[in-house]
Amino acid sequence: MKTTKQLYLLILFSAYAISLLIFRAWLTDSTLYKFLIWNLFLAYIPFLISQQMVRKRQRLTKFMFAFGTWLLFLPNAPYIITDIFHLTNRTFVPLWFDLLMIFSFAMNGMLLFFISTYQMHNILIKRFSYSIAWIISSGIMFLTGFGIYLGRFLRFNSWDVLSNPKPLFFNIADRFTDPFAHLKTWGFTISYGLFFLVGFLLINMLISSFMKTISINKKHIQ
């Protein structure tokens, strides 16, 4: 799929999710779930970074900076799936509607996550090698799970690296130096990391099969 079409479809799906939220706010005169829009905005940041990196090959220093920034914001994309924690039957709005609304935002986040990681995976293959790219990409899935834990349960965010680094790094170091005291952290990280990894493998397989089908069809046409 061409990049422009891909972006238009993502924006269309995002607009659908936002329209559900706007309708709910109008119906209830409440902005209870307005945080979903901010979370969706953050989910677009790693996607936009990887889009730019795909278009232009950078020198190693610029690449490392862009990659580090991308990795820092990446957990924000799949983080939205944990917003389902906020789902409660608080108003006369049907629970199924709130579920659809939150799920729509979560699906946007997951799509942005997998598209962006797929793009970065291909960038890594071109810059390094196939095996190194897979090692790094696999590690990214577990780092993403860890990042979501930091955001959901410890309430840190990507900006805290600059604005509030001391408690952030203290909490991270504590979990690595004394892992058995933080089994919840590692249970969450490994479970979500495996989920992302399996999903990433599936996406890669589907895209590869799709590309092979297109190639075969072109040969038949010729």
Side-chain angles (χ1 to χ4, degrees):
M1 186 183 292
K2 290 184 179 180
T3 303
T4 306
K5 288 183 178 180
Q6 183 186 84
L7 184 59
Y8 285 158
L9 286 172
L10 284 169
I11 292 172
L12 181 63
F13 193 24
S14 296
Y16 169 74
I18 293 169
S19 67
L20 291 177
L21 179 57
I22 292 171
F23 175 73
R24 189 191 191 282
W26 171 78
L27 196 65
T28 62
D29 196 27
S30 168
T31 56
L32 177 65
Y33 288 105
K34 65 181 179 180
F35 61 85
L36 288 170
I37 295 177
W38 175 248
N39 288 350
L40 183 59
F41 166 75
L42 292 176
Y44 266 92
I45 294 177
F47 169 74
L48 294 173
I49 292 172
S50 61
Q51 286 279 88
Q52 286 298 115
M53 292 177 72
V54 164
R55 290 172 184 169
K56 188 178 180 181
R57 183 181 174 88
Q58 294 124 336
R59 292 180 181 178
L60 185 60
T61 51
K62 286 186 176 180
F63 168 80
M64 293 304 293
F65 176 78
F67 178 78
T69 306
W70 172 83
L71 187 60
L72 183 64
F73 283 94
L74 184 64
N76 291 301
Y79 174 89
I80 308 178
I81 61 177
T82 65
D83 283 327
I84 201 167
F85 288 178
H86 298 286
L87 184 65
T88 53
N89 202 4
R90 301 182 188 181
T91 65
F92 63 87
V93 176
L95 196 61
W96 62 260
F97 181 88
D98 282 349
L99 178 61
L100 174 64
M101 180 184 67
I102 296 174
F103 187 71
S104 296
F105 277 93
M107 279 295 294
N108 271 281
M110 290 302 295
L111 283 171
L112 289 164
F113 171 72
F114 282 123
I115 292 170
S116 187
T117 49
Y118 180 79
Q119 289 175 337
M120 188 59 71
H121 180 69
N122 286 325
I123 292 169
L124 291 170
I125 289 174
K126 290 176 183 177
R127 183 168 282 276
F128 301 109
S129 69
Y130 184 82
S131 56
I132 290 175
W134 270 109
I135 291 170
I136 296 173
S137 295
S138 298
I140 285 169
M141 301 302 146
F142 293 95
L143 285 174
T144 298
F146 185 66
I148 294 173
Y149 179 87
L150 292 176
R152 173 52 66 191
F153 296 103
L154 303 186
R155 307 311 296 163
F156 289 110
N157 59 60
S158 302
W159 315 103
D160 285 326
V161 171
L162 297 175
S163 63
N164 196 27
K166 200 170 182 179
L168 171 62
F169 290 120
F170 173 79
N171 276 277
I172 292 173
D174 184 42
R175 277 155 176 77
F176 277 94
T177 55
D178 192 8
F180 291 104
H182 302 284
L183 294 178
K184 180 182 176 182
T185 302
W186 300 115
F188 183 96
T189 298
I190 293 169
S191 299
Y192 272 71
L194 287 171
F195 171 70
F196 297 140
L197 181 58
V198 172
F200 184 67
L201 290 169
L202 181 61
I203 293 294
N204 269 271
M205 184 185 71
L206 291 173
I207 292 175
S208 297
S209 299
F210 179 69
M211 296 303 291
K212 284 179 182 178
T213 303
I214 291 176
S215 179
I216 292 168
N217 289 338
K218 281 183 178 178
K219 287 179 180 179
H220 283 312
I221 292 170
Q222 290 173 355

